[in-house]
């Protein structure tokens, strides 16, 4: 456990089975935990009836959740689609909106969909070697558009916290779906501008 450590430490993100043993927490998000997040509810129910597939996993190093610390770990989004919509994370704002985050893509291919409380949106590609800097105020969701796992390393301030409720209710302004086999950005009809919420 890294929570109590007061001296520097090293861990590996080489993705060998042994390197995963270094993490303190392993969170597994399955299809059943994504209720209401995918546009195609019929495809969602049909897929869930066949089994509760893993959509993504998070491996974390435990550190005190206070300003001055950094929360770090790996996010792994599995390949797949619900209807024509790619597997993705739930997505969140940080509870302390004034906190940034870094993502470093190690494997796979996909996108980070981002949005501010005012409704500005952005999409950036996640490809091995890409470092994504997410400034304060931008909510974020990673999306796997490839056919292998999308693996990213993340680091964010210890006191950031997570607000999932806003995204659960309205989703993101955009969705990334497959059209003729290619990732395509479309509007999310359930989204409402802040002044109409
Ligand atoms: C990441 C995310 C991780 C899983 O650690 O928490 O990719 O995504 P959700 O939290 O949206 O389920 C992060 O951005 N932390 O702040
Ligand atoms: Zn975050």
């Amino acid at each position: 456990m890294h929570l109590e450590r007061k001296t520097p430490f090293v861990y590996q993100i080489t993705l060998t089975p042994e390197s995963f043993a270094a993490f303190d927490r392993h969170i597994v998000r399955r299809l059943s935990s994504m209720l209401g997040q995918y546009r195609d509810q019929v495809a969602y129910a049909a897929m869930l009836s066949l089994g509760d597939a893993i959509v993504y996993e998070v491996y974390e190093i435990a550190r005190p959740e206070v300003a001055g610390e950094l929360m770090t770990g790996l996010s792994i989004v599995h390949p797949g689609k619900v209807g024509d919509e790619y597997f993705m994370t739930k997505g969140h704002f940080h509870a302390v909106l004034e906190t940034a985050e870094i993502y470093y893509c190690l494997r796979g291919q996909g996108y980070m969909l981002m949005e501010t409380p005012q409704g500005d949106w952005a999409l950036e590609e996640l490809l091995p070697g890409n470092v994504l800097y997410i400034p304060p105020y931008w909510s974020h969701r990673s999306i796997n558009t490839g056919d292998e796992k999308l693996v990213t390393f993340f680091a964010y301030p210890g006191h950031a916290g997570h607000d999932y409720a806003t995204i659960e209710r309205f989703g993101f302004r955009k969705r990334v779906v497959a059209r003729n086999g290619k990732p395509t950005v479309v509007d999310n009809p359930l989204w409402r501008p802040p002044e109409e919420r």
Side-chain angles (χ1 to χ4, degrees):
M1 188 57 123
H2 299 86
L3 195 59
E4 309 290 339
R5 291 200 64 152
K6 299 223 169 12
T7 54
F9 58 87
V10 170
Y11 67 92
Q12 294 189 312
I13 50 173
T14 46
L15 311 181
T16 59
E18 310 82 65
S19 69
F20 286 104
F23 292 95
D24 300 307
R25 296 189 200 117
H26 179 206
I27 299 146
V28 178
R29 293 270 182 248
R30 293 178 180 274
L31 205 54
S32 57
S33 71
M34 301 293 285
L35 184 69
Q37 297 302 296
Y38 288 96
R39 171 86 200 279
D40 189 339
Q41 302 279 333
V42 175
Y44 175 84
M47 196 171 178
L48 192 56
S49 74
L50 298 175
D52 200 1
I54 295 178
V55 179
Y56 63 101
E57 302 172 68
V58 182
Y59 289 87
E60 287 179 344
I61 297 292
R63 289 299 296 170
E65 294 181 14
V66 298
E69 290 284 347
L70 290 172
M71 308 304 287
T72 62
L74 284 181
S75 169
I76 303 177
V77 185
H78 289 227
K81 286 201 261 334
V82 176
D84 61 4
E85 195 170 6
Y86 295 101
F87 274 15
M88 60 195 184
T89 59
K90 284 171 178 278
H92 58 266
F93 285 95
H94 289 164
V96 178
L97 279 169
E98 301 83 1
T99 51
E101 183 156 352
I102 288 281
Y103 274 83
Y104 176 50
C105 184
L106 297 160
R107 278 212 194 153
Q109 63 183 92
Y111 291 88
M112 189 72 79
L113 179 61
M114 294 161 284
E115 189 171 315
T116 65
Q118 291 73 36
D120 301 314
W121 67 279
L123 189 72
E124 292 294 344
E125 209 164 8
L126 293 171
L127 292 173
N130 281 15
V131 178
L132 172 63
Y133 186 95
I134 306 174
Y137 300 103
W138 289 80
S139 60
H140 37 283
R141 158 181 285 169
S142 24
I143 301 165
N144 185 348
T145 57
D147 46 25
E148 60 171 326
K149 288 176 184 174
L150 174 65
V151 184
T152 50
F153 168 82
F154 60 80
Y156 62 95
H159 67 304
H162 294 95
D163 160 22
Y164 289 100
T166 308
I167 304 294
E168 271 171 15
R169 184 130 179 250
F170 299 103
F172 282 77
R173 186 168 189 161
K174 302 288 175 180
R175 292 181 179 275
V176 180
V177 299
R179 289 277 187 275
N180 302 319
K182 286 209 188 103
T184 307
V185 182
V186 297
D187 283 335
N188 171 18
L190 300 177
W191 188 84
R192 293 283 168 272
E195 60 276 13
E196 288 176 25
R197 290 182 182 178

